Amino acid sequence: MSLTLDTSYTIPMLEHHIQKTIVYTLAFSDSMRFGELKPDMLENKAFDYHLKKVIRAGLVEKTHEGRYALTSEGKRVGKGALKAQARMIDRAYSTLLLAVRRADDGAWLLMRRRVQPLIGLRGFMNAQPIAAQNIAETAHEVCREQTGLSGEFVAHGHGYFRTYRNGSLESFIHFTLLVCNDIQGVLHQNSSLAEYCWDMDPDWSAPDMLPSTQTLHKMLEVPAGSFVDETFDI
């Protein structure tokens, strides 16, 4: 199967805060009913107007069961819908992927996504790089803030991942893989975007595992400095 990106397409701008809120809210669910999605203080007619707007924009669709869900494009906007500007769909989202192991027994720290895109799937922790900070420092701070765990991170590899669902692009990232093999502390759940747990012997090819995680694990088995560019269809 040949998969190509439509580089002429951009994510539609959301005109109203209600439209942004609809997309943002759906980013934390597979689908929702009209009554679940509508704020209590808003009249049905007014909410229906904005709901139809995001449907026409191609960000939300109505399922056969009468529920509302994000489209592939909507999932890419997701929790970023409340931000001021839209992002080009054909530009990779820059992220840090953190491979973390417990010092005493080698258990892996894995997270389950609570937000679109790829909600419900498991994999490594991620963090957003910032210009004013070294990526290893960012990885350390995000890990400590979200899990209560501390350790030193080193960069191991990098690359690009494209993930399609039923032929539609759902996630496109440029990543740097960082490793910490001697994390310390007691695990706490401090993130609304992910649930963390220890796994002594992960099945990297399990159906609920992010498809890129198996590739990342293979990268960890070779010397630092590797680069990958892969496409997945789930």
Side-chain angles (χ1 to χ4, degrees):
M1 179 178 181
S2 176
L3 298 172
T4 59
L5 295 176
D6 178 3
T7 56
S8 66
Y9 185 80
T10 61
I11 292 176
M13 293 294 290
L14 297 172
E15 301 173 355
H16 194 277
H17 70 90
I18 295 175
Q19 296 167 29
K20 295 177 182 179
T21 301
I22 290 171
V23 175
Y24 178 84
T25 302
L26 284 172
F28 294 84
S29 175
D30 287 322
S31 65
M32 298 178 70
R33 295 191 298 270
F34 183 93
E36 297 171 327
L37 192 56
K38 185 187 77 69
D40 292 337
M41 71 291 297
L42 196 64
E43 294 182 355
N44 284 6
K45 185 176 181 180
F47 182 73
D48 187 59
Y49 168 82
H50 292 289
L51 183 57
K52 288 178 178 177
K53 281 278 192 177
V54 292
I55 291 174
R56 284 196 292 269
L59 301 177
V60 174
E61 61 184 357
K62 191 173 184 179
T63 70
H64 295 300
E65 296 79 17
R67 301 171 69 88
Y68 296 90
L70 294 181
T71 64
S72 294
E73 288 81 2
K75 290 175 181 178
R76 297 211 59 208
V77 179
K79 60 184 175 60
L82 297 183
K83 295 181 179 179
Q85 61 185 30
R87 186 165 53 89
M88 296 284 291
I89 194 169
D90 62 314
R91 292 180 181 171
Y93 178 75
S94 183
T95 190
L96 308 177
L97 299 178
L98 315 184
V100 177
R101 302 192 77 175
R102 196 158 51 191
D104 55 354
D105 59 6
W108 294 89
L109 179 67
L110 298 180
M111 66 86 185
R112 187 181 298 277
R113 293 183 62 86
R114 290 177 170 172
V115 64
Q116 299 284 9
L118 307 176
I119 190 171
L121 297 184
R122 294 189 300 144
F124 292 139
M125 181 189 309
N126 60 70
Q128 184 176 353
I130 56 177
Q133 191 174 49
N134 179 280
I135 60 171
E137 295 173 354
T138 301
H140 171 79
E141 288 191 6
V142 170
C143 184
R144 185 187 62 212
E145 291 170 0
Q146 294 193 7
T147 68
L149 305 172
S150 294
E152 298 301 318
F153 286 83
V154 295
H156 187 85
H158 65 113
Y160 290 89
F161 287 144
R162 300 164 186 82
T163 304
Y164 288 76
R165 189 186 296 273
N166 300 321
S168 296
L169 181 65
E170 188 161 310
S171 174
F172 180 31
I173 65 170
H174 172 239
F175 71 91
T176 300
L177 175 62
L178 294 99
V179 180
C180 177
N181 287 318
D182 59 351
I183 203 75
Q184 303 284 341
V186 178
L187 177 61
H188 298 288
Q189 303 289 342
N190 298 326
S191 173
S192 62
L193 305 181
E195 178 184 1
Y196 295 96
C197 67
W198 294 110
D199 194 328
M200 288 295 299
D201 186 23
D203 179 359
W204 303 106
S205 61
D208 68 339
M209 195 74 77
L210 286 163
S212 58
T213 308
Q214 189 172 9
T215 298
L216 294 169
H217 181 242
K218 291 179 180 178
M219 291 177 68
L220 295 172
E221 295 178 335
V222 301
S226 57
F227 170 85
V228 299
D229 188 341
E230 292 197 12
T231 297
F232 307 95
D233 199 354
I234 59 176

